[in-house]
Amino acid sequence: MKNKLPGEFQLINLLSRSLRQAGEPGVIGVGDDCAALPLGEQMQLLTCDAAVAGRHFTPGLTPWETVGWRLGSANASDIAACGGTPEWALVSLALGDEIEPGELEALYRGLEEAGAEYGYRIIGGNVSGAEQHQINVFLLGRTARFVARGGARPGDLVAVSGDLGGAEAGRRIFEDSTGNPPDSPVERPLLERYLRPRARTDLAGLLRETASAAIDISDGLAAELGHLAGASGVRMEIESALIPLAPGLREWAALRGADPLRLALGSGEEYQLLLTAPAEHQRLLTEAGISIIGRVEEPSAAPPERGEPVAESGEVLLDGRPLPPLGWNHLGWNHLGWNHLG
Ligand SMILES: [Mg+2]
């Protein structure tokens, strides 16, 4: 019997150890939302993401156009998190037998709509057969300044764009609805957050101007805070009352007997941006609808030496208490699950 796969972070550390170190001047490798190469005065950004049947979508239930839009958004979000603008995409399809031409057209409609929204064009790809559908998008973009995860410094503000929790509430509403749109005026906009998330490419310029570090919220705020703190070797102090909740989330959570704060902390695939910035930029950030949720502080223990693998999660305090990692990793729910917070 084969061993079970290790967790996502252990897997990335294992794979990156087996890579030949690039060693090329200016090349940014594993550990950020995108890899990057020097491109004249700018940086070329490269990222990829997959939609796997049964894992990221449910054939027969998730509309194909939605699969395309969500996958385009996931990729564009990684480019935005590095301060960049999406440009060119390749699409690699591995398809099972049961797909109709009309469904493929709908998938591409979703990918193209996302391209029109975020500014990328699909210029090629590959098709193969598979046991189950799997769609991979490889996206290229560029930035005048690469915003990394490792730049947060003590004294910086911690900030998040938009509001949170809607994507997870929407996912649960979607799974319960078995494809029928909900009647509830509270549920419809939350469902929309799940079906049609928007990557924040509109904030890339502001990130380049202000951010010391950034990451997109694909695994949930709690997990991303840990990633930023780990990569930067700092401690993050967050105030729960400052975390922006999606409209209707409190009301929906009360009906479901769920905790809106836990939903906001664990909600993945939000595609909002989490960033740190020097305090002098506070006004620019809040004017752009970005909420300040905390501060960067010196770590309690010495950060790892340079070149050591980055820890899965750095030090994060929520209302003065340690925050366990909570959210998605791409191989399943985080091992701490839902019920370990407070
Ligand atoms: Mg990301």
Side-chain angles (χ1 to χ4, degrees), residues 78-106:
D78 279 330
I79 300 274
C82 295
T85 307
E87 290 185 313
W88 309 108
L90 300 175
V91 180
S92 179
L93 300 175
L95 297 173
D97 294 333
E98 282 159 23
I99 188 162
E100 306 280 332
E103 294 175 323
L104 267 181
E105 282 167 13

PDB file of all heavy atoms in Angstrom, residues 78-106:
ATOM      1  N   ASP A  78      -3.853  35.233  -8.035  1.00  0.00           N
ATOM      2  CA  ASP A  78      -2.436  35.049  -7.696  1.00  0.00           C
ATOM      3  C   ASP A  78      -1.566  36.130  -8.346  1.00  0.00           C
ATOM      4  O   ASP A  78      -0.605  36.609  -7.746  1.00  0.00           O
ATOM      5  CB  ASP A  78      -1.954  33.664  -8.134  1.00  0.00           C
ATOM      6  CG  ASP A  78      -2.354  32.589  -7.132  1.00  0.00           C
ATOM      7  OD1 ASP A  78      -2.459  32.898  -5.928  1.00  0.00           O
ATOM      8  OD2 ASP A  78      -2.544  31.440  -7.556  1.00  0.00           O
ATOM      9  N   ILE A  79      -1.897  36.497  -9.581  1.00  0.00           N
ATOM     10  CA  ILE A  79      -1.152  37.566 -10.261  1.00  0.00           C
ATOM     11  C   ILE A  79      -1.359  38.893  -9.514  1.00  0.00           C
ATOM     12  O   ILE A  79      -0.411  39.638  -9.251  1.00  0.00           O
ATOM     13  CB  ILE A  79      -1.612  37.706 -11.735  1.00  0.00           C
ATOM     14  CG1 ILE A  79      -1.373  36.403 -12.515  1.00  0.00           C
ATOM     15  CG2 ILE A  79      -0.963  38.924 -12.402  1.00  0.00           C
ATOM     16  CD1 ILE A  79      -0.026  36.195 -13.127  1.00  0.00           C
ATOM     17  N   ALA A  80      -2.639  39.171  -9.140  1.00  0.00           N
ATOM     18  CA  ALA A  80      -2.947  40.414  -8.423  1.00  0.00           C
ATOM     19  C   ALA A  80      -2.195  40.479  -7.097  1.00  0.00           C
ATOM     20  O   ALA A  80      -1.709  41.545  -6.703  1.00  0.00           O
ATOM     21  CB  ALA A  80      -4.453  40.526  -8.186  1.00  0.00           C
ATOM     22  N   ALA A  81      -2.092  39.333  -6.403  1.00  0.00           N
ATOM     23  CA  ALA A  81      -1.434  39.299  -5.086  1.00  0.00           C
ATOM     24  C   ALA A  81       0.043  39.683  -5.180  1.00  0.00           C
ATOM     25  O   ALA A  81       0.630  40.130  -4.196  1.00  0.00           O
ATOM     26  CB  ALA A  81      -1.583  37.919  -4.463  1.00  0.00           C
ATOM     27  N   CYS A  82       0.639  39.499  -6.359  1.00  0.00           N
ATOM     28  CA  CYS A  82       2.038  39.887  -6.547  1.00  0.00           C
ATOM     29  C   CYS A  82       2.143  41.304  -7.114  1.00  0.00           C
ATOM     30  O   CYS A  82       3.225  41.743  -7.516  1.00  0.00           O
ATOM     31  CB  CYS A  82       2.744  38.893  -7.466  1.00  0.00           C
ATOM     32  SG  CYS A  82       2.870  37.253  -6.740  1.00  0.00           S
ATOM     33  N   GLY A  83       1.017  42.008  -7.204  1.00  0.00           N
ATOM     34  CA  GLY A  83       1.015  43.375  -7.706  1.00  0.00           C
ATOM     35  C   GLY A  83       0.929  43.455  -9.219  1.00  0.00           C
ATOM     36  O   GLY A  83       1.231  44.491  -9.804  1.00  0.00           O
ATOM     37  N   GLY A  84       0.501  42.352  -9.862  1.00  0.00           N
ATOM     38  CA  GLY A  84       0.599  42.297 -11.316  1.00  0.00           C
ATOM     39  C   GLY A  84      -0.718  42.353 -12.056  1.00  0.00           C
ATOM     40  O   GLY A  84      -1.801  42.345 -11.479  1.00  0.00           O
ATOM     41  N   THR A  85      -0.588  42.392 -13.381  1.00  0.00           N
ATOM     42  CA  THR A  85      -1.720  42.415 -14.306  1.00  0.00           C
ATOM     43  C   THR A  85      -1.656  41.157 -15.156  1.00  0.00           C
ATOM     44  O   THR A  85      -0.620  40.874 -15.758  1.00  0.00           O
ATOM     45  CB  THR A  85      -1.584  43.638 -15.238  1.00  0.00           C
ATOM     46  OG1 THR A  85      -1.410  44.789 -14.409  1.00  0.00           O
ATOM     47  CG2 THR A  85      -2.807  43.824 -16.086  1.00  0.00           C
ATOM     48  N   PRO A  86      -2.757  40.390 -15.244  1.00  0.00           N
ATOM     49  CA  PRO A  86      -2.762  39.185 -16.078  1.00  0.00           C
ATOM     50  C   PRO A  86      -2.660  39.549 -17.559  1.00  0.00           C
ATOM     51  O   PRO A  86      -3.185  40.581 -17.985  1.00  0.00           O
ATOM     52  CB  PRO A  86      -4.126  38.543 -15.782  1.00  0.00           C
ATOM     53  CG  PRO A  86      -4.600  39.163 -14.507  1.00  0.00           C
ATOM     54  CD  PRO A  86      -4.019  40.546 -14.494  1.00  0.00           C
ATOM     55  N   GLU A  87      -2.003  38.666 -18.346  1.00  0.00           N
ATOM     56  CA  GLU A  87      -1.858  38.953 -19.779  1.00  0.00           C
ATOM     57  C   GLU A  87      -2.238  37.777 -20.680  1.00  0.00           C
ATOM     58  O   GLU A  87      -3.077  37.909 -21.540  1.00  0.00           O
ATOM     59  CB  GLU A  87      -0.414  39.367 -20.084  1.00  0.00           C
ATOM     60  CG  GLU A  87      -0.057  40.736 -19.511  1.00  0.00           C
ATOM     61  CD  GLU A  87       1.325  41.164 -19.918  1.00  0.00           C
ATOM     62  OE1 GLU A  87       2.271  40.348 -19.817  1.00  0.00           O
ATOM     63  OE2 GLU A  87       1.463  42.318 -20.374  1.00  0.00           O
ATOM     64  N   TRP A  88      -1.566  36.631 -20.474  1.00  0.00           N
ATOM     65  CA  TRP A  88      -1.719  35.520 -21.419  1.00  0.00           C
ATOM     66  C   TRP A  88      -2.008  34.228 -20.666  1.00  0.00           C
ATOM     67  O   TRP A  88      -1.410  33.980 -19.617  1.00  0.00           O
ATOM     68  CB  TRP A  88      -0.453  35.339 -22.260  1.00  0.00           C
ATOM     69  CG  TRP A  88       0.014  36.600 -22.909  1.00  0.00           C
ATOM     70  CD1 TRP A  88       1.114  37.334 -22.572  1.00  0.00           C
ATOM     71  CD2 TRP A  88      -0.602  37.280 -24.000  1.00  0.00           C
ATOM     72  NE1 TRP A  88       1.212  38.429 -23.378  1.00  0.00           N
ATOM     73  CE2 TRP A  88       0.172  38.424 -24.270  1.00  0.00           C
ATOM     74  CE3 TRP A  88      -1.732  37.031 -24.776  1.00  0.00           C
ATOM     75  CZ2 TRP A  88      -0.147  39.321 -25.288  1.00  0.00           C
ATOM     76  CZ3 TRP A  88      -2.045  37.929 -25.785  1.00  0.00           C
ATOM     77  CH2 TRP A  88      -1.259  39.049 -26.035  1.00  0.00           C
ATOM     78  N   ALA A  89      -2.876  33.382 -21.256  1.00  0.00           N
ATOM     79  CA  ALA A  89      -3.225  32.121 -20.590  1.00  0.00           C
ATOM     80  C   ALA A  89      -3.113  30.937 -21.547  1.00  0.00           C
ATOM     81  O   ALA A  89      -3.373  31.053 -22.745  1.00  0.00           O
ATOM     82  CB  ALA A  89      -4.651  32.207 -20.049  1.00  0.00           C
ATOM     83  N   LEU A  90      -2.699  29.796 -20.991  1.00  0.00           N
ATOM     84  CA  LEU A  90      -2.778  28.504 -21.665  1.00  0.00           C
ATOM     85  C   LEU A  90      -3.755  27.647 -20.875  1.00  0.00           C
ATOM     86  O   LEU A  90      -3.780  27.721 -19.639  1.00  0.00           O
ATOM     87  CB  LEU A  90      -1.413  27.811 -21.692  1.00  0.00           C
ATOM     88  CG  LEU A  90      -0.267  28.527 -22.391  1.00  0.00           C
ATOM     89  CD1 LEU A  90       1.030  27.726 -22.196  1.00  0.00           C
ATOM     90  CD2 LEU A  90      -0.573  28.674 -23.881  1.00  0.00           C
ATOM     91  N   VAL A  91      -4.537  26.833 -21.579  1.00  0.00           N
ATOM     92  CA  VAL A  91      -5.513  25.979 -20.897  1.00  0.00           C
ATOM     93  C   VAL A  91      -5.209  24.531 -21.250  1.00  0.00           C
ATOM     94  O   VAL A  91      -5.170  24.169 -22.431  1.00  0.00           O
ATOM     95  CB  VAL A  91      -6.956  26.316 -21.345  1.00  0.00           C
ATOM     96  CG1 VAL A  91      -7.953  25.425 -20.624  1.00  0.00           C
ATOM     97  CG2 VAL A  91      -7.255  27.787 -21.088  1.00  0.00           C
ATOM     98  N   SER A  92      -4.978  23.699 -20.246  1.00  0.00           N
ATOM     99  CA  SER A  92      -4.720  22.287 -20.467  1.00  0.00           C
ATOM    100  C   SER A  92      -5.908  21.484 -19.953  1.00  0.00           C
ATOM    101  O   SER A  92      -6.231  21.530 -18.770  1.00  0.00           O
ATOM    102  CB  SER A  92      -3.426  21.890 -19.732  1.00  0.00           C
ATOM    103  OG  SER A  92      -3.186  20.520 -19.916  1.00  0.00           O
ATOM    104  N   LEU A  93      -6.577  20.788 -20.877  1.00  0.00           N
ATOM    105  CA  LEU A  93      -7.782  20.032 -20.519  1.00  0.00           C
ATOM    106  C   LEU A  93      -7.457  18.550 -20.471  1.00  0.00           C
ATOM    107  O   LEU A  93      -6.902  18.006 -21.421  1.00  0.00           O
ATOM    108  CB  LEU A  93      -8.863  20.224 -21.587  1.00  0.00           C
ATOM    109  CG  LEU A  93      -9.376  21.637 -21.852  1.00  0.00           C
ATOM    110  CD1 LEU A  93     -10.338  21.608 -23.037  1.00  0.00           C
ATOM    111  CD2 LEU A  93     -10.072  22.160 -20.618  1.00  0.00           C
ATOM    112  N   ALA A  94      -7.822  17.871 -19.385  1.00  0.00           N
ATOM    113  CA  ALA A  94      -7.811  16.416 -19.334  1.00  0.00           C
ATOM    114  C   ALA A  94      -9.266  16.035 -19.068  1.00  0.00           C
ATOM    115  O   ALA A  94      -9.806  16.349 -18.008  1.00  0.00           O
ATOM    116  CB  ALA A  94      -6.888  15.924 -18.230  1.00  0.00           C
ATOM    117  N   LEU A  95      -9.899  15.411 -20.057  1.00  0.00           N
ATOM    118  CA  LEU A  95     -11.356  15.245 -19.996  1.00  0.00           C
ATOM    119  C   LEU A  95     -11.764  13.787 -19.945  1.00  0.00           C
ATOM    120  O   LEU A  95     -11.219  12.949 -20.675  1.00  0.00           O
ATOM    121  CB  LEU A  95     -11.997  15.900 -21.227  1.00  0.00           C
ATOM    122  CG  LEU A  95     -11.790  17.416 -21.345  1.00  0.00           C
ATOM    123  CD1 LEU A  95     -12.331  17.913 -22.679  1.00  0.00           C
ATOM    124  CD2 LEU A  95     -12.453  18.141 -20.181  1.00  0.00           C
ATOM    125  N   GLY A  96     -12.744  13.491 -19.077  1.00  0.00           N
ATOM    126  CA  GLY A  96     -13.382  12.174 -19.074  1.00  0.00           C
ATOM    127  C   GLY A  96     -14.309  12.061 -20.275  1.00  0.00           C
ATOM    128  O   GLY A  96     -14.485  13.013 -21.030  1.00  0.00           O
ATOM    129  N   ASP A  97     -14.914  10.873 -20.453  1.00  0.00           N
ATOM    130  CA  ASP A  97     -15.754  10.621 -21.635  1.00  0.00           C
ATOM    131  C   ASP A  97     -17.018  11.458 -21.639  1.00  0.00           C
ATOM    132  O   ASP A  97     -17.504  11.856 -22.692  1.00  0.00           O
ATOM    133  CB  ASP A  97     -16.141   9.140 -21.688  1.00  0.00           C
ATOM    134  CG  ASP A  97     -14.920   8.271 -21.909  1.00  0.00           C
ATOM    135  OD1 ASP A  97     -13.949   8.783 -22.508  1.00  0.00           O
ATOM    136  OD2 ASP A  97     -14.927   7.097 -21.477  1.00  0.00           O
ATOM    137  N   GLU A  98     -17.562  11.694 -20.439  1.00  0.00           N
ATOM    138  CA  GLU A  98     -18.903  12.266 -20.404  1.00  0.00           C
ATOM    139  C   GLU A  98     -18.890  13.790 -20.367  1.00  0.00           C
ATOM    140  O   GLU A  98     -19.082  14.408 -19.329  1.00  0.00           O
ATOM    141  CB  GLU A  98     -19.663  11.718 -19.196  1.00  0.00           C
ATOM    142  CG  GLU A  98     -20.158  10.317 -19.465  1.00  0.00           C
ATOM    143  CD  GLU A  98     -20.445   9.548 -18.212  1.00  0.00           C
ATOM    144  OE1 GLU A  98     -20.685  10.181 -17.170  1.00  0.00           O
ATOM    145  OE2 GLU A  98     -20.399   8.313 -18.280  1.00  0.00           O
ATOM    146  N   ILE A  99     -18.612  14.369 -21.512  1.00  0.00           N
ATOM    147  CA  ILE A  99     -18.750  15.831 -21.621  1.00  0.00           C
ATOM    148  C   ILE A  99     -19.256  16.153 -23.020  1.00  0.00           C
ATOM    149  O   ILE A  99     -18.812  15.576 -24.019  1.00  0.00           O
ATOM    150  CB  ILE A  99     -17.436  16.570 -21.272  1.00  0.00           C
ATOM    151  CG1 ILE A  99     -17.687  18.079 -21.218  1.00  0.00           C
ATOM    152  CG2 ILE A  99     -16.304  16.225 -22.217  1.00  0.00           C
ATOM    153  CD1 ILE A  99     -16.617  18.862 -20.474  1.00  0.00           C
ATOM    154  N   GLU A 100     -20.252  17.042 -23.078  1.00  0.00           N
ATOM    155  CA  GLU A 100     -20.884  17.420 -24.339  1.00  0.00           C
ATOM    156  C   GLU A 100     -20.157  18.635 -24.909  1.00  0.00           C
ATOM    157  O   GLU A 100     -19.639  19.450 -24.139  1.00  0.00           O
ATOM    158  CB  GLU A 100     -22.334  17.848 -24.085  1.00  0.00           C
ATOM    159  CG  GLU A 100     -23.192  16.850 -23.349  1.00  0.00           C
ATOM    160  CD  GLU A 100     -23.688  15.755 -24.289  1.00  0.00           C
ATOM    161  OE1 GLU A 100     -23.813  16.059 -25.507  1.00  0.00           O
ATOM    162  OE2 GLU A 100     -23.915  14.630 -23.824  1.00  0.00           O
ATOM    163  N   PRO A 101     -20.181  18.780 -26.255  1.00  0.00           N
ATOM    164  CA  PRO A 101     -19.573  19.985 -26.853  1.00  0.00           C
ATOM    165  C   PRO A 101     -20.121  21.273 -26.240  1.00  0.00           C
ATOM    166  O   PRO A 101     -19.369  22.216 -25.994  1.00  0.00           O
ATOM    167  CB  PRO A 101     -19.949  19.876 -28.335  1.00  0.00           C
ATOM    168  CG  PRO A 101     -20.200  18.422 -28.563  1.00  0.00           C
ATOM    169  CD  PRO A 101     -20.705  17.850 -27.266  1.00  0.00           C
ATOM    170  N   GLY A 102     -21.430  21.316 -25.960  1.00  0.00           N
ATOM    171  CA  GLY A 102     -22.043  22.517 -25.378  1.00  0.00           C
ATOM    172  C   GLY A 102     -21.468  22.833 -24.002  1.00  0.00           C
ATOM    173  O   GLY A 102     -21.355  23.997 -23.607  1.00  0.00           O
ATOM    174  N   GLU A 103     -21.102  21.787 -23.252  1.00  0.00           N
ATOM    175  CA  GLU A 103     -20.532  21.996 -21.914  1.00  0.00           C
ATOM    176  C   GLU A 103     -19.117  22.575 -22.023  1.00  0.00           C
ATOM    177  O   GLU A 103     -18.732  23.459 -21.260  1.00  0.00           O
ATOM    178  CB  GLU A 103     -20.525  20.669 -21.146  1.00  0.00           C
ATOM    179  CG  GLU A 103     -21.932  20.164 -20.849  1.00  0.00           C
ATOM    180  CD  GLU A 103     -21.973  18.800 -20.193  1.00  0.00           C
ATOM    181  OE1 GLU A 103     -21.139  17.927 -20.536  1.00  0.00           O
ATOM    182  OE2 GLU A 103     -22.834  18.595 -19.328  1.00  0.00           O
ATOM    183  N   LEU A 104     -18.368  22.067 -23.013  1.00  0.00           N
ATOM    184  CA  LEU A 104     -17.026  22.618 -23.242  1.00  0.00           C
ATOM    185  C   LEU A 104     -17.094  24.082 -23.652  1.00  0.00           C
ATOM    186  O   LEU A 104     -16.285  24.900 -23.212  1.00  0.00           O
ATOM    187  CB  LEU A 104     -16.323  21.833 -24.351  1.00  0.00           C
ATOM    188  CG  LEU A 104     -15.440  20.678 -23.896  1.00  0.00           C
ATOM    189  CD1 LEU A 104     -14.802  20.020 -25.107  1.00  0.00           C
ATOM    190  CD2 LEU A 104     -14.353  21.190 -22.950  1.00  0.00           C
ATOM    191  N   GLU A 105     -18.086  24.386 -24.500  1.00  0.00           N
ATOM    192  CA  GLU A 105     -18.268  25.788 -24.910  1.00  0.00           C
ATOM    193  C   GLU A 105     -18.579  26.658 -23.701  1.00  0.00           C
ATOM    194  O   GLU A 105     -18.072  27.770 -23.580  1.00  0.00           O
ATOM    195  CB  GLU A 105     -19.392  25.900 -25.953  1.00  0.00           C
ATOM    196  CG  GLU A 105     -18.933  25.476 -27.337  1.00  0.00           C
ATOM    197  CD  GLU A 105     -20.090  25.278 -28.307  1.00  0.00           C
ATOM    198  OE1 GLU A 105     -21.232  25.701 -27.985  1.00  0.00           O
ATOM    199  OE2 GLU A 105     -19.853  24.695 -29.367  1.00  0.00           O
ATOM    200  N   ALA A 106     -19.403  26.130 -22.799  1.00  0.00           N
ATOM    201  CA  ALA A 106     -19.751  26.899 -21.594  1.00  0.00           C
ATOM    202  C   ALA A 106     -18.515  27.100 -20.714  1.00  0.00           C
ATOM    203  O   ALA A 106     -18.294  28.191 -20.164  1.00  0.00           O
ATOM    204  CB  ALA A 106     -20.849  26.182 -20.813  1.00  0.00           C
TER     205      ALA A 106
END
